Amino acid sequence: MSKLFIAGEVLHSAGSLEELKNIAGTKAVIVTGGSSMRKSGTLDRAISFLKDAGIVTEVFEGVEEDPSSATCMKGAEVMKTFQPDWIIGLGGCSAIDAAKMMWVFYEHPDADFDAMTKPFSVPTLRNKAKFIAIPSTSGTGTETTGLAVITDREKGVKYPIVSYELTPDIAIVDGEICATMPANVTSNTGLDALTHCVEAYVSNIEDNYADVLAKGGLEIVFNNLAEAVKNPTNIKARQNMHDASFMGGLAFNNAWLGIVHSLSHQVGALYGIPHGASNAIFLPNVIRYNAKVSQRFPDLAKVIGKETAEDLAQAIEGLRSEVDNQASIKEFGISQEDWDKNLDYIANNALLDPCTGFNPRKPTLDELKDIYNACYNGEVVNF
């Protein structure tokens, strides 16, 4: 038997943030990042809508990019004092992912973070609160996934915490919230959504629902990302990208991801490279690598009017260039010496990453190092 895992309720369209007026509850903690949600007025609007619903709010602000387990523990302490029955992640994926882990530690103060890095090890939730995800970026699809990516600062490793317990109860997918998103963030997150669609479609889990969502999301990204980058106030393009992000997230929530994400998690944790940017660098070469064993790439190529896996890889490189993203890891200022010093470490961590288990081709350590080196230099990998 197969089961479709999805956010319990999905509210999607421009202006759907107002649906917070209809939430039943008493207290909510809103978890958000820096200042963008406050500056845009979105945070105040959310608080106002919740007040209309009779819900008292507490705000936890300042979640950093690539949130740490320490930040999650701090948020959980706030929740333990306030005792909310709703937890709301508002903002980019970092804020929502951190809110998910705060939720875990709020309900289970003695939970072992290291134990939860093993897939499907999060204890049962919803004993104290339910979860609402309101994304301000169009990329991770975290508003409908059982995934939270948390960084161990001491080890320099990103851990994907995987459990369907983390799938939100309500997702509000409102493209208006994205109108103030900077061009580089729009570009990076959009390419992340694209990567989700590709990796979910070719994963080693067969799922008809995920396949349709992945194809649909891929087409929307190719048709809308450049427009959203160049004309940020085009709300139709923004909503389309927000929908594509959700579709990609829903696809991979049911079929999971592959080594593009395994590779990206490591360079993000160690070097601070934006996740979508590194995904877009690795994806074309991983397509070439996986095409040796998977016959599914031509299906995706046909969605955008192409024919072969190589056509798809080159089309992604073209879109990456069109939205002004980097084509190599070294463009982020990482020296050859520093890269060579850490290569074995990051490649081994990528091999052990949970996403590697869902890749259509089982990689060796040396193959991951070859992909890393080719992408460091912006070269085409040959296998």
Side-chain angles (χ1 to χ4, degrees):
M1 181 191 79
S2 295
K3 181 177 180 180
L4 183 69
F5 293 92
I6 183 173
E9 187 174 357
V10 184
L11 308 169
H12 64 104
S13 67
S16 55
L17 181 68
E18 191 170 358
E19 292 296 323
L20 286 173
K21 288 181 176 181
N22 300 317
I23 301 300
T26 58
K27 292 182 178 181
V29 169
I30 300 176
V31 179
T32 190
S35 58
S36 62
M37 291 296 92
R38 187 174 288 280
K39 287 179 178 177
S40 70
T42 302
L43 177 59
D44 287 341
R45 289 173 60 224
I47 292 171
S48 177
F49 294 145
L50 290 166
K51 184 178 179 181
D52 290 343
I55 296 175
V56 179
T57 57
E58 179 82 12
V59 178
F60 183 96
E61 290 185 88
V63 174
E64 73 276 31
E65 291 187 17
D66 300 326
S68 66
S69 54
T71 295
C72 298
M73 294 299 292
K74 289 178 184 176
E77 288 299 320
V78 171
M79 293 173 187
K80 280 185 243 179
T81 300
F82 190 66
Q83 291 290 304
D85 48 6
W86 284 105
I87 296 167
I88 301 174
L90 172 64
C93 63
S94 294
I96 296 174
D97 284 3
K100 288 181 178 181
M101 290 308 297
M102 292 174 190
W103 181 25
V104 175
F105 289 123
Y106 166 50
E107 298 210 0
H108 300 277
D110 297 325
D112 185 337
F113 177 77
D114 288 337
M116 289 187 291
T117 62
K118 297 179 178 62
F120 307 105
S121 299
V122 172
T124 302
L125 298 176
R126 296 168 181 82
N127 302 302
K128 295 182 179 180
K130 292 184 179 181
F131 194 93
I132 301 173
I134 310 173
S136 65
T137 58
S138 306
T140 68
T142 189
E143 66 273 12
T144 191
T145 72
L147 178 69
V149 180
I150 306 298
T151 300
D152 186 319
R153 297 270 182 253
E154 293 183 3
K155 295 179 181 177
V157 177
K158 277 189 179 182
Y159 291 103
I161 309 300
V162 178
S163 172
Y164 290 120
E165 289 292 326
L166 298 175
T167 305
D169 297 282
I170 298 175
I172 297 179
V173 187
D174 183 348
E176 286 185 353
I177 297 174
C178 307
T180 57
M181 188 172 25
N184 67 310
V185 178
T186 302
S187 174
N188 287 338
T189 56
L191 291 167
D192 189 23
L194 174 65
T195 305
H196 295 157
C197 293
V198 174
E199 289 212 286
Y201 190 79
V202 302
S203 87
N204 56 25
I205 295 178
E206 293 185 11
D207 189 287
N208 286 334
Y209 294 0
D211 287 351
V212 172
L213 290 159
K215 283 183 172 180
L218 177 85
E219 183 176 24
I220 290 173
V221 171
F222 267 93
N223 288 340
N224 289 273
L225 178 56
E227 174 64 18
V229 170
K230 294 171 185 175
N231 297 298
T233 58
N234 183 333
I235 300 301
K236 183 176 181 180
R238 287 292 196 188
Q239 186 64 49
N240 286 343
M241 283 303 304
H242 230 28
D243 290 342
S245 174
F246 182 92
M247 292 163 71
L250 182 51
F252 89 71
N253 201 39
N254 291 277
W256 295 103
L257 299 165
I259 60 171
V260 172
H261 276 74
S262 303
L263 298 165
S264 279
H265 289 153
Q266 315 317 317
V267 297
L270 193 62
Y271 296 115
I273 297 174
H275 181 64
S278 59
N279 275 353
I281 293 169
F282 295 129
L283 181 57
N285 273 335
V286 171
I287 288 173
R288 294 174 176 117
Y289 172 78
N290 282 334
K292 300 294 184 182
V293 301
S294 174
Q295 304 303 313
R296 307 210 80 198
F297 292 107
D299 292 344
L300 290 177
K302 288 179 173 63
V303 170
I304 57 171
K306 305 296 182 181
E307 294 294 331
T308 67
E310 181 59 29
D311 290 341
L312 178 64
Q314 291 185 21
I316 291 168
E317 289 168 342
L319 180 61
R320 184 181 67 194
S321 176
E322 185 179 4
V323 296
D324 298 322
N325 261 61
Q326 295 83 357
S328 69
I329 297 296
K330 68 181 178 183
E331 291 178 46
F332 289 92
I334 301 163
S335 70
Q336 185 73 59
E337 180 183 9
D338 193 21
W339 180 256
D340 291 342
K341 178 182 68 176
N342 291 305
L343 181 60
D344 285 341
Y345 178 70
I346 61 175
N348 188 63
N349 285 340
L351 188 65
L352 298 174
D353 190 287
C355 292
T356 299
F358 301 101
N359 198 68
R361 182 177 177 182
K362 186 176 180 179
T364 66
L365 182 64
D366 285 341
E367 286 170 340
L368 291 178
K369 289 167 68 174
D370 287 342
I371 295 171
Y372 262 140
N373 281 329
C375 292
Y376 173 80
N377 291 302
E379 298 170 349
V380 173
V381 72
N382 292 306
F383 287 99

